[in-house]
Amino acid sequence: MTIKPIFTLKEAFKNLWRNRLMSIASVSSVTATLMILGIIFALIININAMAQSAKDQFDSIQAYLKEDITAVEIDAIITKLSAVNGVQSVAYESKADALVKMKESWKDNAYLLEGLEANPLPSSIIVYLKDIYYASSVLIEINGLSGIEEVKSYQDIVEQLLSITEAIRKAGIIVIFVLIAISTFIIHNTIKLTVNSRQREINIMKYVGATNWFIRWPFLAEGTLLGLFGAGIAALLIRFAYDAVFEIMHTDFYVLVSAYVVLPEVLMADIAFLFVVIGAGIGALGSIWSMRKYLNV
Amino acid sequence: MIEFQNVVKKYDNGVTALNGVSVKIEKGEFVFIVGPSGAGKSTFIKALLKEVKVTSGHIHMDDMEITKMHRRKVPFLRRKVGVVFQDFRLLPNKTVYENIAFAMEILGTPHRNIRKQVPMILALVGLTGKGNYYPNQLSGGEQQRVSIARSMINNPPILIADEPTGNLDPDTSWEIMKVLRTINRRGTTIIMATHDREIVDIMKKRVIALENGLIARDDKIGVYGYDD
Ligand SMILES: Nc1ncnc2c1ncn2[C@@H]1O[C@H](COP(=O)(O)OP(=O)(O)OP(=O)(O)O)[C@@H](O)[C@H]1O
Ligand SMILES: [Mg+2]
């Protein structure tokens, strides 16, 4: 069987034009669906990026040492912790180091520290983790050591961050599935109009011995075109919107957050692929669905 | 060869349209199916085309068992059987030529062959030169000839016609019958359901009479035999 792609496309365009109101409705619904999908996707990607950099920053555990600890004991702790599974490296921070660090981070207010008679800061051991995932097992190891006064870890913050990301991802997926179902339904209705108007033709085709796929193919082309139009428009709109948001984020006001915002080019590469696949999928599904009844002759 | 073995068709609404029909039709025969309205003639034809699923019994066509055939195979059954209807069923926005070519395109026939064969079939049904007409520019008899041409273009061994002259006046009906006779003489089996007494009586072909879903009569050279 020969399928003539150019002829099929021409016919498809003609039919879409004939039912242009429904075509516009279909394209709009796909566009709306994909826009929302795009927004959720952009959110998720950015939150993921932020969570990732947070993980990179918080992937250490600081164990404050007791005042009376000896150099030998410190060496023993370092050796022991270096061997623990999931530990990247272990560093020692003396009381003096801690003070220097604090002065650096206090910057203009550092003069307040000048008045101190003795250094009140404890010395500590900083354990860098290979991944935040090892935090709890390493914590157990550290707590089992003697000579440790107090442990500071970022586990709680990171876990909260991760659970927020997860919640957004789940909610997003549900919303997206509902929207995809809605636009598939709208495309299904549009294609049903052409199918209805060509019911006679389909019937005759069946009597002359056309296979279902021969009959389905042009309608499939129509539905897929609708989906792809929707995807194209949605991609453009998302591009403009995201560029605008990206601009705003780079004004001074948000400069702290903007370091984590994913570049438009990076986002658009993913979005373009996602939109084409989902748009074409919605269109194809809608049109095959709309033909089901008519092919059982 | 076509064989019905004890075929029963009960529609969902409880009507039994075929109530145990057994009949054999040999290759090359010309068979009229007659009987009162509602006797089951159209159902007989639909069962043969697998347009309806029979309730019980078997239908064989050559080496195919139609009753057991998978839905996906039905298109290939239909390619072996040309069909003509009372209402012609032509596509109004396609010319005569395109309507016939359409049936070949479906099978993926190369355009070279289509251009050669359509004029030949138009000559066979007596429509030479009318290829560029649209259906609404033709008389009923001419439209029915287009529909016969379309059903025959892929050379099916069997032609089924459900009241092909039902919408035509007597003279035009005879023109159609001449075309069908020509096709039958070339070796095509023809099964025709009809209410046309004159045609049945004059053609002197095999007549199968259905009544209440049963075969009431099957005569080698039969007559119409009803008063309607
Ligand atoms: N799709 C259907 N659903 C339910 N009942 C049907 C259906 N098609 C036909 N019937 C019934 O089956 C019986 C036989 O119908 P059929 O069309 O085979 O008769 P027919 O002999 O072709 O009649 P006619 O000469 O009027 O065309 C009738 O009682 C009819 O009402
Ligand atoms: Mg009938």
Side-chain angles (χ1 to χ4, degrees), chain A residues 241-289:
Chain A
Y242 195 74
D243 275 352
V245 171
F246 195 78
E247 273 310 302
I248 295 171
M249 288 301 229
H250 279 81
T251 57
D252 301 339
F253 186 61
Y254 293 102
V255 83
L256 271 177
V257 204
S258 69
Y260 305 116
V261 177
V262 176
L263 291 174
E265 291 72 27
V266 176
L267 181 85
M268 284 319 288
D270 285 343
I271 287 229
F273 176 75
L274 200 68
F275 279 16
V276 164
V277 170
I278 295 181
I282 290 175
L285 207 68
S287 54
I288 287 184
W289 178 19

Side-chain angles (χ1 to χ4, degrees), chain A residues 180-223:
Chain A
I180 285 180
I182 292 172
S183 22
T184 307
F185 179 74
I186 296 179
I187 292 218
H188 147 88
N189 273 326
T190 309
I191 302 298
K192 220 159 92 175
L193 282 185
T194 29
V195 174
N196 271 333
S197 70
R198 289 171 65 193
Q199 200 177 351
R200 203 182 154 77
E201 193 175 340
I202 291 174
N203 210 294
I204 292 169
M205 282 167 120
K206 295 230 63 159
Y207 275 115
V208 203
T211 57
N212 282 351
W213 271 108
F214 184 92
I215 298 170
R216 228 182 246 139
W217 168 243
F219 297 102
L220 195 63
E222 272 173 47

Side-chain angles (χ1 to χ4, degrees), chain A residues 20-282:
Chain A
R20 52 192 165 275
L21 266 178
M22 278 307 284
S23 298
I24 290 169
S26 302
V27 171
S28 315
S29 86
V30 175
T31 303
T33 301
L34 291 178
M35 285 281 291
I36 293 173
L37 185 143
I39 291 168
I40 293 173
F41 185 77
L43 268 178
I44 289 177
I45 278 219
N46 277 298
I47 289 172
N48 275 353
M50 263 179 241
Q52 189 57 49
S53 61
K55 267 158 80 178
D56 291 346
Q57 269 176 20
F58 298 150
D59 65 349
S60 61
I61 298 173
Q62 196 163 16
Y64 296 103
L65 301 170
K66 288 189 171 138
E67 280 292 325
D68 57 356
I69 199 157
T70 64
V72 179
E73 281 174 311
I74 292 172
D75 277 345
I77 290 176
I78 291 178
T79 320
K80 210 164 178 193
L81 286 179
S82 300
V84 171
N85 189 27
V87 172
Q88 178 91 25
S89 61
V90 181
Y92 172 69
E93 189 180 290
S94 67
K95 290 167 72 80
D97 292 340
L99 191 61
V100 169
K101 242 192 193 173
M102 183 169 268
K103 280 182 175 163
E104 269 173 18
S105 68
W106 282 25
K107 280 179 189 160
D108 295 346
N109 297 325
Y111 67 91
L112 291 173
L113 297 169
E114 301 293 334
L116 291 172
E117 277 160 32
N119 181 353
L121 298 173
S123 59
S124 63
I125 301 263
I126 302 174
V127 181
Y128 294 99
L129 303 169
K130 285 183 182 147
D131 191 292
I132 196 75
Y133 163 80
Y134 295 104
S136 49
S137 64
V138 174
L139 263 178
I140 292 172
E141 290 288 333
I142 295 174
N143 284 327
L145 296 170
S146 60
I148 305 254
E149 181 75 53
E150 201 193 331
V151 182
K152 185 175 134 205
S153 84
Y154 302 97
Q155 205 188 359
D156 292 350
I157 304 172
V158 171
E159 269 174 7
Q160 256 177 15
L161 200 64
L162 289 182
S163 75
I164 292 172
T165 326
E166 195 51 36
I168 291 181
R169 205 175 306 169
K170 276 188 188 142
I173 286 172
I174 292 171
V175 170
I176 284 168
F177 267 96
V178 170
L179 289 171
I180 285 180
I182 292 172
S183 22
T184 307
F185 179 74
I186 296 179
I187 292 218
H188 147 88
N189 273 326
T190 309
I191 302 298
K192 220 159 92 175
L193 282 185
T194 29
V195 174
N196 271 333
S197 70
R198 289 171 65 193
Q199 200 177 351
R200 203 182 154 77
E201 193 175 340
I202 291 174
N203 210 294
I204 292 169
M205 282 167 120
K206 295 230 63 159
Y207 275 115
V208 203
T211 57
N212 282 351
W213 271 108
F214 184 92
I215 298 170
R216 228 182 246 139
W217 168 243
F219 297 102
L220 195 63
E222 272 173 47
T224 310
L225 271 181
L226 286 177
L228 287 177
F229 279 145
I233 295 173
L236 282 179
L237 291 176
I238 285 278
R239 166 93 222 205
F240 287 133
Y242 195 74
D243 275 352
V245 171
F246 195 78
E247 273 310 302
I248 295 171
M249 288 301 229
H250 279 81
T251 57
D252 301 339
F253 186 61
Y254 293 102
V255 83
L256 271 177
V257 204
S258 69
Y260 305 116
V261 177
V262 176
L263 291 174
E265 291 72 27
V266 176
L267 181 85
M268 284 319 288
D270 285 343
I271 287 229
F273 176 75
L274 200 68
F275 279 16
V276 164
V277 170
I278 295 181
I282 290 175

Side-chain angles (χ1 to χ4, degrees), chain B residues 9 11-18 34-46 52 86 162-163 193-195 210:
Chain B
K9 172 61 194 178
Y11 283 108
D12 292 339
N13 61 1
V15 175
T16 306
L18 297 176
V34 302
S37 193
K41 303 182 292 294
S42 295
T43 305
F44 181 91
I45 283 172
K46 285 175 181 166
V52 297
Q86 181 173 357
D162 195 353
E163 305 195 35
T194 185
H195 280 288
L210 283 176

